[in-house]
Amino acid sequence: MEYARHLDATVEEFFDEMARTVKRSIQHETGKEVPTSRLDGYRYARTEQDGRKLVRGKTRVGFKPPRTIELKHTWPEGVKTIRYVVEPADEGGIEVTFCESFRPKDKTRGVLSGLSDRVYEWDMKRNAKKALRSIERNIQISRGRIS
């Protein structure tokens, strides 16, 4: 599933903000500070809350400015890939395409598989809108436009 949005930002501002976000996640999970130059190909273990239990997984970062950022999360139930593709816009700013896919370890079959796919797509679109709004807001804050 893909979702595209125009952001009032430059390519450099977008990648700086994404680098800060990814480095903050790495530091939270591992306690290590990673320079931006080492982000591409960096792998680290993650833990997330899933209801009442903790789920352990691994994340691989693909950081390739000025075009793409890819985060590949491997969890016990499958692999979730999030990719941001950035293009300069003719009227200023940038066009960002948020792509998310999930490849489950065990395929769901039957009547409920189509329903679960639709729910996932709806959820992904909602999360994409929220993530891109947050990124744009953080860029505006760093510019000093919003306090």
Side-chain angles (χ1 to χ4, degrees):
M1 182 69 188
E2 293 184 1
Y3 173 75
R5 181 166 180 211
H6 178 84
L7 298 183
D8 178 24
T10 66
V11 173
E12 294 80 18
E13 288 173 326
F14 181 83
F15 276 90
D16 288 347
E17 179 59 32
M18 290 303 296
R20 275 193 296 274
T21 302
V22 171
K23 290 189 315 185
R24 197 170 29 243
S25 175
I26 292 170
Q27 186 172 19
H28 173 75
E29 295 291 340
T30 67
K32 298 178 183 176
E33 287 190 32
V34 178
T36 304
S37 61
R38 293 199 48 224
L39 283 180
D40 189 37
Y42 195 84
R43 297 171 190 238
Y44 64 102
R46 283 183 65 157
T47 305
E48 282 194 5
Q49 190 80 30
D50 184 20
R52 294 180 184 221
K53 63 181 179 177
L54 289 176
V55 180
R56 299 189 194 306
K58 296 178 183 176
T59 296
R60 182 174 183 273
V61 179
F63 192 78
K64 298 178 181 4
R67 179 105 169 98
T68 60
I69 298 168
E70 182 176 278
L71 302 167
K72 191 172 193 175
H73 307 289
T74 304
W75 301 104
E77 63 273 358
V79 178
K80 178 180 179 179
T81 304
I82 297 172
R83 180 181 302 118
Y84 296 88
V85 180
V86 182
E87 296 287 338
D90 294 336
E91 64 276 358
I94 56 175
E95 288 293 324
V96 179
T97 304
F98 177 98
C99 311
E100 182 176 317
S101 64
F102 181 72
R103 196 177 69 236
K105 183 177 177 183
D106 299 321
K107 278 282 193 192
T108 305
R109 293 192 177 110
V111 178
L112 294 179
S113 67
L115 179 61
S116 66
D117 289 346
R118 284 192 189 98
V119 169
Y120 181 79
E121 286 181 16
W122 179 81
D123 228 14
M124 187 284 311
K125 190 171 183 178
R126 184 184 53 148
N127 291 339
K129 287 178 180 180
K130 185 178 172 183
L132 291 174
R133 272 195 310 262
S134 176
I135 290 167
E136 186 173 41
R137 180 170 169 72
N138 289 342
I139 290 169
Q140 290 175 351
I141 288 170
S142 69
R143 287 179 180 169
R145 290 188 182 169
I146 301 174
S147 55

